[in-house]
Amino acid sequence: MIMMDLCSSRFYLPRLENKGEEYKQFQFGAGESHFQILSQTGRHAEIMFRYSGDQSIIQLLLLTDALKRQGAEEIDLYIPYFPGARQDRVCNPGEALSVKVYADLINRQNFNRVFIFDPHSDVTTALLNKVHVVKNHQLIEQAIEDIGEKVLLISPDAGSNKKIFELSMQLGGLEVIRADKVRDVSSGKIIDTEVYCNDLGGKTCVIVDDICSGGRTFMELAKKLKNKNCGRIILIVSHYEGVAKEADLHASGIDAVFSTNSLKDIASSDFLKIKDIWSFMPFMPNQGVSK
Ligand SMILES: O=P(O)(O)OC[C@H]1O[C@@H](O)[C@H](O)[C@@H]1O
């Protein structure tokens, strides 16, 4: 008779605030990380990993190694923000292809499945083995429900068009307005933003993108949308670095931002509404409890 091993261990890295001691980690004086799991784990394990700088990657590798040494045969990795996803091509001579370096490291661990959330481009998906892409649809749907009005979807650049048209279909055919960044080809800097619509008719505009970093893309776009008679402007991004100043985003005309804590815990405010990334990842419900 074949016995099904339903016993599963789930580890959050970094640890969830309300979780007890499942593992010990510290750094030695020279800077190396140390990792120790504190009790026996199952054959199947899940790692819920939020990237928080390259040191956190080493911690992930150490946890993976520790799990394998305890007999874990199937390890699922949930890594909603995939590091290097935006560095998906070599733009200038001498640059590294960062996303491939991170993907190669992850592939070498032989994870059973790797779940990522709304990656910047298909390059990440192509490079990773056994990858499952979780789309941003549920996040956008929830945010639009919270907004509670009829909205226009704004695609901020050519790279977003494919994803946003699919999203629109999923949401029952919401109207999409395309925009584009105009760049100085020699420096790569954004010098202008085009919105392909003359009159937005006072409607609420929802800009959808994968990430907000410095926020320049969205501040420039918001100003242009204002000039084209938009109503409220809402920005929804899957990943939020927390680098852009909320005051600057607001001053540009953006009324609210929705995002997740895929990178770090950020407090929600009236302006910035952060949703829990784990609520969008497809867990097996019977595998929730550690050990
Ligand atoms: O304008 P910031 O926020 O710095 O950068 C975010 C933009 O840069 C792109 O890679 C992202 O897809 C997004 O469009």
PDB file of all heavy atoms in Angstrom, residues 70-96:
ATOM      1  N   GLN A  70      17.578  17.414   6.282  1.00  0.00           N
ATOM      2  CA  GLN A  70      16.608  16.792   7.184  1.00  0.00           C
ATOM      3  C   GLN A  70      15.690  15.838   6.431  1.00  0.00           C
ATOM      4  O   GLN A  70      14.719  15.353   6.975  1.00  0.00           O
ATOM      5  CB  GLN A  70      15.756  17.868   7.833  1.00  0.00           C
ATOM      6  CG  GLN A  70      16.464  18.617   8.929  1.00  0.00           C
ATOM      7  CD  GLN A  70      15.505  19.016  10.039  1.00  0.00           C
ATOM      8  OE1 GLN A  70      14.307  19.054   9.836  1.00  0.00           O
ATOM      9  NE2 GLN A  70      16.042  19.305  11.194  1.00  0.00           N
ATOM     10  N   GLY A  71      15.938  15.639   5.161  1.00  0.00           N
ATOM     11  CA  GLY A  71      15.158  14.651   4.405  1.00  0.00           C
ATOM     12  C   GLY A  71      14.049  15.217   3.547  1.00  0.00           C
ATOM     13  O   GLY A  71      13.257  14.458   2.982  1.00  0.00           O
ATOM     14  N   ALA A  72      13.949  16.538   3.418  1.00  0.00           N
ATOM     15  CA  ALA A  72      12.910  17.103   2.542  1.00  0.00           C
ATOM     16  C   ALA A  72      13.226  16.713   1.096  1.00  0.00           C
ATOM     17  O   ALA A  72      14.337  16.934   0.620  1.00  0.00           O
ATOM     18  CB  ALA A  72      12.854  18.614   2.701  1.00  0.00           C
ATOM     19  N   GLU A  73      12.245  16.106   0.441  1.00  0.00           N
ATOM     20  CA  GLU A  73      12.475  15.662  -0.941  1.00  0.00           C
ATOM     21  C   GLU A  73      11.805  16.576  -1.948  1.00  0.00           C
ATOM     22  O   GLU A  73      12.225  16.661  -3.093  1.00  0.00           O
ATOM     23  CB  GLU A  73      11.944  14.233  -1.116  1.00  0.00           C
ATOM     24  CG  GLU A  73      12.816  13.218  -0.405  1.00  0.00           C
ATOM     25  CD  GLU A  73      12.106  11.902  -0.232  1.00  0.00           C
ATOM     26  OE1 GLU A  73      11.120  11.645  -0.942  1.00  0.00           O
ATOM     27  OE2 GLU A  73      12.547  11.124   0.645  1.00  0.00           O
ATOM     28  N   GLU A  74      10.717  17.198  -1.505  1.00  0.00           N
ATOM     29  CA  GLU A  74       9.986  18.117  -2.397  1.00  0.00           C
ATOM     30  C   GLU A  74       9.899  19.461  -1.714  1.00  0.00           C
ATOM     31  O   GLU A  74       9.236  19.597  -0.683  1.00  0.00           O
ATOM     32  CB  GLU A  74       8.552  17.622  -2.603  1.00  0.00           C
ATOM     33  CG  GLU A  74       8.429  16.487  -3.555  1.00  0.00           C
ATOM     34  CD  GLU A  74       6.971  16.092  -3.743  1.00  0.00           C
ATOM     35  OE1 GLU A  74       6.089  16.634  -3.032  1.00  0.00           O
ATOM     36  OE2 GLU A  74       6.729  15.264  -4.610  1.00  0.00           O
ATOM     37  N   ILE A  75      10.545  20.449  -2.276  1.00  0.00           N
ATOM     38  CA  ILE A  75      10.475  21.784  -1.670  1.00  0.00           C
ATOM     39  C   ILE A  75       9.872  22.750  -2.687  1.00  0.00           C
ATOM     40  O   ILE A  75      10.382  22.884  -3.802  1.00  0.00           O
ATOM     41  CB  ILE A  75      11.873  22.284  -1.238  1.00  0.00           C
ATOM     42  CG1 ILE A  75      12.565  21.248  -0.324  1.00  0.00           C
ATOM     43  CG2 ILE A  75      11.773  23.637  -0.540  1.00  0.00           C
ATOM     44  CD1 ILE A  75      13.989  21.603   0.069  1.00  0.00           C
ATOM     45  N   ASP A  76       8.765  23.366  -2.300  1.00  0.00           N
ATOM     46  CA  ASP A  76       8.155  24.397  -3.147  1.00  0.00           C
ATOM     47  C   ASP A  76       8.659  25.758  -2.686  1.00  0.00           C
ATOM     48  O   ASP A  76       8.633  26.051  -1.486  1.00  0.00           O
ATOM     49  CB  ASP A  76       6.624  24.383  -3.019  1.00  0.00           C
ATOM     50  CG  ASP A  76       6.020  23.157  -3.699  1.00  0.00           C
ATOM     51  OD1 ASP A  76       6.679  22.602  -4.605  1.00  0.00           O
ATOM     52  OD2 ASP A  76       4.909  22.769  -3.321  1.00  0.00           O
ATOM     53  N   LEU A  77       9.078  26.552  -3.639  1.00  0.00           N
ATOM     54  CA  LEU A  77       9.542  27.899  -3.297  1.00  0.00           C
ATOM     55  C   LEU A  77       8.519  28.924  -3.773  1.00  0.00           C
ATOM     56  O   LEU A  77       8.156  28.943  -4.954  1.00  0.00           O
ATOM     57  CB  LEU A  77      10.893  28.177  -3.973  1.00  0.00           C
ATOM     58  CG  LEU A  77      11.400  29.623  -3.824  1.00  0.00           C
ATOM     59  CD1 LEU A  77      11.730  29.943  -2.365  1.00  0.00           C
ATOM     60  CD2 LEU A  77      12.621  29.872  -4.710  1.00  0.00           C
ATOM     61  N   TYR A  78       8.076  29.759  -2.851  1.00  0.00           N
ATOM     62  CA  TYR A  78       7.210  30.899  -3.193  1.00  0.00           C
ATOM     63  C   TYR A  78       8.080  32.141  -3.099  1.00  0.00           C
ATOM     64  O   TYR A  78       8.519  32.512  -2.014  1.00  0.00           O
ATOM     65  CB  TYR A  78       6.029  30.997  -2.212  1.00  0.00           C
ATOM     66  CG  TYR A  78       5.049  29.861  -2.357  1.00  0.00           C
ATOM     67  CD1 TYR A  78       5.318  28.607  -1.805  1.00  0.00           C
ATOM     68  CD2 TYR A  78       3.851  30.037  -3.037  1.00  0.00           C
ATOM     69  CE1 TYR A  78       4.420  27.556  -1.948  1.00  0.00           C
ATOM     70  CE2 TYR A  78       2.948  28.990  -3.178  1.00  0.00           C
ATOM     71  CZ  TYR A  78       3.243  27.759  -2.636  1.00  0.00           C
ATOM     72  OH  TYR A  78       2.354  26.714  -2.776  1.00  0.00           O
ATOM     73  N   ILE A  79       8.343  32.754  -4.233  1.00  0.00           N
ATOM     74  CA  ILE A  79       9.251  33.908  -4.272  1.00  0.00           C
ATOM     75  C   ILE A  79       8.554  34.991  -5.115  1.00  0.00           C
ATOM     76  O   ILE A  79       8.861  35.187  -6.298  1.00  0.00           O
ATOM     77  CB  ILE A  79      10.658  33.479  -4.794  1.00  0.00           C
ATOM     78  CG1 ILE A  79      11.602  34.654  -4.940  1.00  0.00           C
ATOM     79  CG2 ILE A  79      10.580  32.683  -6.074  1.00  0.00           C
ATOM     80  CD1 ILE A  79      13.072  34.270  -5.164  1.00  0.00           C
ATOM     81  N   PRO A  80       7.552  35.661  -4.488  1.00  0.00           N
ATOM     82  CA  PRO A  80       6.691  36.554  -5.276  1.00  0.00           C
ATOM     83  C   PRO A  80       7.460  37.626  -6.049  1.00  0.00           C
ATOM     84  O   PRO A  80       7.182  37.828  -7.235  1.00  0.00           O
ATOM     85  CB  PRO A  80       5.758  37.171  -4.234  1.00  0.00           C
ATOM     86  CG  PRO A  80       6.192  36.689  -2.891  1.00  0.00           C
ATOM     87  CD  PRO A  80       7.113  35.532  -3.087  1.00  0.00           C
ATOM     88  N   TYR A  81       8.396  38.277  -5.408  1.00  0.00           N
ATOM     89  CA  TYR A  81       9.229  39.251  -6.144  1.00  0.00           C
ATOM     90  C   TYR A  81      10.481  38.521  -6.579  1.00  0.00           C
ATOM     91  O   TYR A  81      11.252  38.046  -5.736  1.00  0.00           O
ATOM     92  CB  TYR A  81       9.598  40.439  -5.249  1.00  0.00           C
ATOM     93  CG  TYR A  81      10.577  41.365  -5.938  1.00  0.00           C
ATOM     94  CD1 TYR A  81      10.147  42.295  -6.872  1.00  0.00           C
ATOM     95  CD2 TYR A  81      11.951  41.278  -5.676  1.00  0.00           C
ATOM     96  CE1 TYR A  81      11.054  43.116  -7.534  1.00  0.00           C
ATOM     97  CE2 TYR A  81      12.859  42.103  -6.341  1.00  0.00           C
ATOM     98  CZ  TYR A  81      12.397  43.010  -7.257  1.00  0.00           C
ATOM     99  OH  TYR A  81      13.292  43.819  -7.923  1.00  0.00           O
ATOM    100  N   PHE A  82      10.713  38.418  -7.883  1.00  0.00           N
ATOM    101  CA  PHE A  82      11.911  37.719  -8.332  1.00  0.00           C
ATOM    102  C   PHE A  82      13.037  38.725  -8.573  1.00  0.00           C
ATOM    103  O   PHE A  82      12.916  39.612  -9.426  1.00  0.00           O
ATOM    104  CB  PHE A  82      11.665  36.878  -9.588  1.00  0.00           C
ATOM    105  CG  PHE A  82      12.781  35.896  -9.778  1.00  0.00           C
ATOM    106  CD1 PHE A  82      12.779  34.701  -9.070  1.00  0.00           C
ATOM    107  CD2 PHE A  82      13.865  36.207 -10.576  1.00  0.00           C
ATOM    108  CE1 PHE A  82      13.853  33.819  -9.171  1.00  0.00           C
ATOM    109  CE2 PHE A  82      14.943  35.329 -10.682  1.00  0.00           C
ATOM    110  CZ  PHE A  82      14.931  34.134  -9.978  1.00  0.00           C
ATOM    111  N   PRO A  83      14.157  38.595  -7.827  1.00  0.00           N
ATOM    112  CA  PRO A  83      15.233  39.584  -7.949  1.00  0.00           C
ATOM    113  C   PRO A  83      15.837  39.597  -9.352  1.00  0.00           C
ATOM    114  O   PRO A  83      15.974  38.564  -9.989  1.00  0.00           O
ATOM    115  CB  PRO A  83      16.264  39.123  -6.909  1.00  0.00           C
ATOM    116  CG  PRO A  83      15.943  37.694  -6.629  1.00  0.00           C
ATOM    117  CD  PRO A  83      14.465  37.544  -6.834  1.00  0.00           C
ATOM    118  N   GLY A  84      16.164  40.784  -9.797  1.00  0.00           N
ATOM    119  CA  GLY A  84      16.809  40.936 -11.108  1.00  0.00           C
ATOM    120  C   GLY A  84      15.827  40.897 -12.265  1.00  0.00           C
ATOM    121  O   GLY A  84      16.224  41.047 -13.423  1.00  0.00           O
ATOM    122  N   ALA A  85      14.530  40.715 -11.974  1.00  0.00           N
ATOM    123  CA  ALA A  85      13.551  40.549 -13.066  1.00  0.00           C
ATOM    124  C   ALA A  85      13.580  41.722 -14.044  1.00  0.00           C
ATOM    125  O   ALA A  85      13.332  41.559 -15.235  1.00  0.00           O
ATOM    126  CB  ALA A  85      12.152  40.379 -12.486  1.00  0.00           C
ATOM    127  N   ARG A  86      13.900  42.911 -13.531  1.00  0.00           N
ATOM    128  CA  ARG A  86      13.921  44.076 -14.430  1.00  0.00           C
ATOM    129  C   ARG A  86      15.226  44.162 -15.220  1.00  0.00           C
ATOM    130  O   ARG A  86      15.288  44.849 -16.233  1.00  0.00           O
ATOM    131  CB  ARG A  86      13.747  45.369 -13.620  1.00  0.00           C
ATOM    132  CG  ARG A  86      12.337  45.504 -13.091  1.00  0.00           C
ATOM    133  CD  ARG A  86      11.972  46.950 -12.888  1.00  0.00           C
ATOM    134  NE  ARG A  86      12.737  47.557 -11.826  1.00  0.00           N
ATOM    135  CZ  ARG A  86      12.837  48.880 -11.661  1.00  0.00           C
ATOM    136  NH1 ARG A  86      12.259  49.692 -12.499  1.00  0.00           N
ATOM    137  NH2 ARG A  86      13.526  49.369 -10.662  1.00  0.00           N
ATOM    138  N   GLN A  87      16.264  43.471 -14.725  1.00  0.00           N
ATOM    139  CA  GLN A  87      17.537  43.475 -15.465  1.00  0.00           C
ATOM    140  C   GLN A  87      17.522  42.259 -16.379  1.00  0.00           C
ATOM    141  O   GLN A  87      18.280  41.312 -16.207  1.00  0.00           O
ATOM    142  CB  GLN A  87      18.735  43.434 -14.507  1.00  0.00           C
ATOM    143  CG  GLN A  87      19.003  44.737 -13.776  1.00  0.00           C
ATOM    144  CD  GLN A  87      18.000  45.016 -12.670  1.00  0.00           C
ATOM    145  OE1 GLN A  87      17.781  44.171 -11.827  1.00  0.00           O
ATOM    146  NE2 GLN A  87      17.371  46.182 -12.675  1.00  0.00           N
ATOM    147  N   ASP A  88      16.629  42.301 -17.351  1.00  0.00           N
ATOM    148  CA  ASP A  88      16.389  41.115 -18.175  1.00  0.00           C
ATOM    149  C   ASP A  88      17.035  41.208 -19.551  1.00  0.00           C
ATOM    150  O   ASP A  88      16.734  40.426 -20.436  1.00  0.00           O
ATOM    151  CB  ASP A  88      14.880  40.847 -18.305  1.00  0.00           C
ATOM    152  CG  ASP A  88      14.138  42.015 -18.943  1.00  0.00           C
ATOM    153  OD1 ASP A  88      14.772  43.043 -19.258  1.00  0.00           O
ATOM    154  OD2 ASP A  88      12.912  41.899 -19.119  1.00  0.00           O
ATOM    155  N   ARG A  89      17.897  42.193 -19.730  1.00  0.00           N
ATOM    156  CA  ARG A  89      18.711  42.237 -20.960  1.00  0.00           C
ATOM    157  C   ARG A  89      19.955  43.068 -20.667  1.00  0.00           C
ATOM    158  O   ARG A  89      19.965  43.862 -19.707  1.00  0.00           O
ATOM    159  CB  ARG A  89      17.928  42.804 -22.136  1.00  0.00           C
ATOM    160  CG  ARG A  89      17.472  44.210 -21.995  1.00  0.00           C
ATOM    161  CD  ARG A  89      16.276  44.496 -22.884  1.00  0.00           C
ATOM    162  NE  ARG A  89      15.553  45.634 -22.373  1.00  0.00           N
ATOM    163  CZ  ARG A  89      15.538  46.825 -22.939  1.00  0.00           C
ATOM    164  NH1 ARG A  89      16.197  47.046 -24.051  1.00  0.00           N
ATOM    165  NH2 ARG A  89      14.865  47.818 -22.397  1.00  0.00           N
ATOM    166  N   VAL A  90      20.956  42.832 -21.493  1.00  0.00           N
ATOM    167  CA  VAL A  90      22.180  43.620 -21.333  1.00  0.00           C
ATOM    168  C   VAL A  90      22.016  44.855 -22.199  1.00  0.00           C
ATOM    169  O   VAL A  90      21.979  44.774 -23.425  1.00  0.00           O
ATOM    170  CB  VAL A  90      23.413  42.780 -21.756  1.00  0.00           C
ATOM    171  CG1 VAL A  90      24.668  43.636 -21.748  1.00  0.00           C
ATOM    172  CG2 VAL A  90      23.586  41.593 -20.817  1.00  0.00           C
ATOM    173  N   CYS A  91      21.861  45.999 -21.538  1.00  0.00           N
ATOM    174  CA  CYS A  91      21.616  47.245 -22.292  1.00  0.00           C
ATOM    175  C   CYS A  91      22.917  47.886 -22.737  1.00  0.00           C
ATOM    176  O   CYS A  91      22.989  48.483 -23.796  1.00  0.00           O
ATOM    177  CB  CYS A  91      20.870  48.251 -21.428  1.00  0.00           C
ATOM    178  SG  CYS A  91      19.244  47.684 -20.981  1.00  0.00           S
ATOM    179  N   ASN A  92      23.942  47.796 -21.887  1.00  0.00           N
ATOM    180  CA  ASN A  92      25.220  48.445 -22.199  1.00  0.00           C
ATOM    181  C   ASN A  92      26.343  47.435 -22.085  1.00  0.00           C
ATOM    182  O   ASN A  92      26.295  46.539 -21.222  1.00  0.00           O
ATOM    183  CB  ASN A  92      25.482  49.588 -21.208  1.00  0.00           C
ATOM    184  CG  ASN A  92      24.366  50.609 -21.253  1.00  0.00           C
ATOM    185  OD1 ASN A  92      24.126  51.249 -22.276  1.00  0.00           O
ATOM    186  ND2 ASN A  92      23.640  50.724 -20.154  1.00  0.00           N
ATOM    187  N   PRO A  93      27.382  47.595 -22.931  1.00  0.00           N
ATOM    188  CA  PRO A  93      28.502  46.648 -22.870  1.00  0.00           C
ATOM    189  C   PRO A  93      29.077  46.604 -21.456  1.00  0.00           C
ATOM    190  O   PRO A  93      29.167  47.627 -20.787  1.00  0.00           O
ATOM    191  CB  PRO A  93      29.535  47.229 -23.847  1.00  0.00           C
ATOM    192  CG  PRO A  93      28.844  48.332 -24.586  1.00  0.00           C
ATOM    193  CD  PRO A  93      27.565  48.659 -23.911  1.00  0.00           C
ATOM    194  N   GLY A  94      29.394  45.412 -21.008  1.00  0.00           N
ATOM    195  CA  GLY A  94      30.022  45.267 -19.691  1.00  0.00           C
ATOM    196  C   GLY A  94      29.033  44.982 -18.580  1.00  0.00           C
ATOM    197  O   GLY A  94      29.442  44.679 -17.458  1.00  0.00           O
ATOM    198  N   GLU A  95      27.727  45.075 -18.862  1.00  0.00           N
ATOM    199  CA  GLU A  95      26.747  44.808 -17.806  1.00  0.00           C
ATOM    200  C   GLU A  95      26.514  43.308 -17.649  1.00  0.00           C
ATOM    201  O   GLU A  95      26.659  42.545 -18.607  1.00  0.00           O
ATOM    202  CB  GLU A  95      25.394  45.442 -18.172  1.00  0.00           C
ATOM    203  CG  GLU A  95      25.337  46.926 -17.968  1.00  0.00           C
ATOM    204  CD  GLU A  95      23.992  47.507 -18.389  1.00  0.00           C
ATOM    205  OE1 GLU A  95      23.140  46.762 -18.922  1.00  0.00           O
ATOM    206  OE2 GLU A  95      23.804  48.708 -18.185  1.00  0.00           O
ATOM    207  N   ALA A  96      26.102  42.916 -16.427  1.00  0.00           N
ATOM    208  CA  ALA A  96      25.719  41.520 -16.184  1.00  0.00           C
ATOM    209  C   ALA A  96      24.257  41.325 -16.567  1.00  0.00           C
ATOM    210  O   ALA A  96      23.477  42.276 -16.547  1.00  0.00           O
ATOM    211  CB  ALA A  96      25.906  41.194 -14.711  1.00  0.00           C
TER     212      ALA A  96
END
